[in-house]
């Protein structure tokens, strides 16, 4: 029996972890047919089936489960050894994958990314922006960027910037002839521009004053899934929107929007970079973290 190559083993690991030939092929930069052939060849070399395949799903056989369980830490250690060896002379190499919301990725692009790429031109930086919160370990990411309150407790979290604030905003045209809300309960008599979360659920607007937390399932004829679109709809007089302050600043400055319920809109912990605390930190991520801390200081 010929021995499997490192490429064969990495291909199996990618498919097994993502339970998808398509997603694994996209992440590895190969065609789906090529990846399928590689895994099939590995099964032939080992003399056992590793994956159950259907037109809709991929699952592990018992042999596949056992192989993945023992293989994953070995490949992780090997990657760490190779990255450490390549960094001995001070040159950081490798691939750094970070997942975050669109706003989080935009913040990275505006702050740390230009400097990081200038300092470490041998690092391949892969930033993935998506609304839903993902398991960064299970999805093959080195780190994630989310609001501090959304970071899992078993992760190391590093603040990226200042505190964040959500604001309830409306246009002068919308408020003309209406009584502006004084408390969150008053929103019941207003048109609110609701937000649909990536999970499909409607976001309940969260307020706080004097230690009192209030979550309101607001009424409204319009629902959107983008903070930017919500701001634009509010500026067009379609109702009250509840959005991160950064999206509304330009509209507030030129008077297209004004705030309501501002005393109910406290600041909250902002975005954090986070990563597993029980895994080896690759040199590329360590360099990224060091630069983050330097820029914040």
């Amino acid at each position: 029996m010929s021995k499997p190559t490192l490429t064969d083993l990495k291909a199996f690991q990618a498919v097994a972890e993502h339970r998808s030939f398509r997603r694994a092929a996209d992440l590895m930069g190969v065609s789906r047919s090529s990846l399928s052939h590689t895994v099939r060849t590995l099964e032939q070399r080992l003399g056992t089936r590793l994956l159950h395949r259907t037109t809709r799903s991929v699952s592990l056989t018992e042999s596949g489960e056992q192989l993945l369980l023992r293989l994953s830490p070995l490949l992780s250690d090997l990657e760490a050894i190779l990255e450490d060896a390549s960094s001995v002379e001070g040159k950081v190499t490798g691939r750094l994958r970070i997942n975050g919301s669109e706003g989080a990725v935009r913040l990275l692009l505006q702050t740390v990314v230009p400097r990081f790429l200038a300092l470490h031109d041998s690092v391949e930086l892969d930033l993935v922006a998506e609304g839903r919160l993902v398991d960064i370990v299970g999805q093959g990411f080195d780190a994630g960027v989310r609001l501090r309150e959304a970071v899992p407790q078993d992760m190391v979290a590093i603040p990226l910037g200042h505190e964040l604030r959500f604001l309830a905003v409306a246009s002068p045209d919308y408020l003309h002839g209406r009584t502006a809300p004084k408390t969150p309960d008053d929103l019941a008599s207003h048109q609110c521009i609701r937000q649909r979360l990536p999970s499909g659920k409607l976001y309940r607007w969260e307020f706080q004053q004097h230690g009192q937390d209030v979550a309101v399932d607001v009424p409204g004829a319009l629902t959107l899934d983008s903070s930017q679109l919500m701001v634009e709809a509010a500026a067009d007089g379609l109702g009250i929107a509840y959005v991160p302050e950064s999206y509304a600043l330009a509209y507030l400055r030129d008077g297209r929007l004004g705030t309501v319920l501002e005393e109910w809109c406290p600041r909250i912990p902002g975005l954090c970079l986070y990563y597993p605390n029980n895994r080896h930190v690759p040199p590329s991520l360590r360099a990224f973290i060091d630069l983050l801390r330097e820029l914040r200081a």
Side-chain angles (χ1 to χ4, degrees), residues 18-268:
H18 297 290
R19 300 295 198 273
S20 166
F21 277 92
R22 179 190 59 77
R23 180 161 178 77
D26 289 344
L27 292 173
M28 296 183 70
V30 299
S31 69
R32 182 176 175 179
S33 59
S34 173
L35 184 59
S36 179
H37 175 74
T38 298
V39 174
R40 192 177 302 111
T41 300
L42 174 63
E43 290 177 321
Q44 292 172 353
R45 286 176 174 172
L46 296 178
T48 185
R49 180 177 291 276
L50 300 173
L51 300 169
H52 294 301
R53 306 168 178 82
T54 70
T55 56
R56 295 185 178 182
S57 66
V58 175
S59 61
L60 289 167
T61 65
E62 184 177 353
S63 295
E65 289 278 7
Q66 291 298 319
L67 178 59
L68 181 64
L69 182 65
R70 301 183 66 180
L71 181 64
S72 292
L74 292 176
L75 291 180
S76 179
D77 288 345
L78 178 59
E79 289 184 4
I81 291 170
L82 294 176
E83 288 190 353
D84 286 345
S86 67
S87 302
V88 169
E89 301 300 325
K91 189 173 183 64
V92 180
T93 62
R95 187 183 188 198
L96 178 58
R97 302 190 70 235
I98 300 176
N99 177 283
S101 64
E102 182 178 340
V105 171
R106 182 181 293 110
L107 177 63
L108 293 181
L109 290 172
Q110 294 171 347
T111 54
V112 66
V113 168
R115 178 83 178 276
F116 180 81
L117 293 179
L119 291 173
H120 306 291
D121 56 2
S122 295
V123 174
E124 179 186 346
L125 185 58
D126 185 0
L127 303 178
V128 177
E130 55 185 317
R132 65 189 181 96
L133 186 64
V134 303
D135 174 3
I136 60 172
V137 176
Q139 296 296 316
F141 292 97
D142 298 292
V145 181
R146 297 286 167 176
L147 289 175
R148 182 66 183 87
E149 61 187 28
V151 176
Q153 292 185 352
D154 60 345
M155 296 283 175
V156 178
I158 301 172
L160 284 183
H162 301 293
E163 293 178 319
L164 184 68
R165 192 184 191 196
F166 280 75
L167 291 176
V169 295
S171 71
D173 286 344
Y174 173 81
L175 292 175
H176 182 70
R178 292 183 171 92
T179 300
K182 298 295 189 297
T183 71
D185 289 340
D186 294 338
L187 293 170
S189 61
H190 283 270
Q191 279 292 332
C192 297
I193 301 168
R194 300 189 295 177
Q195 180 182 15
R196 188 171 299 282
L197 299 172
S199 64
K201 294 181 179 180
L202 290 175
Y203 173 60
R204 299 180 71 197
W205 294 11
E206 299 173 347
F207 300 96
Q208 185 186 81
Q209 187 182 58
H210 305 312
Q212 178 187 0
D213 294 320
V214 178
V216 183
D217 186 7
V218 297
L222 177 63
T223 301
L224 297 169
D225 63 356
S226 160
S227 294
Q228 183 60 47
L229 292 177
M230 292 169 67
V231 167
E232 293 173 6
D236 288 337
L238 299 181
I240 301 173
Y242 192 55
V243 295
E245 184 177 23
S246 59
Y247 283 89
L249 275 179
Y251 294 79
L252 293 170
R253 287 169 179 160
D254 64 18
R256 284 179 289 174
L257 289 175
T259 61
V260 297
L261 299 173
E262 189 165 356
E263 65 277 14
W264 285 88
C265 301
R267 295 192 176 277
I268 61 174

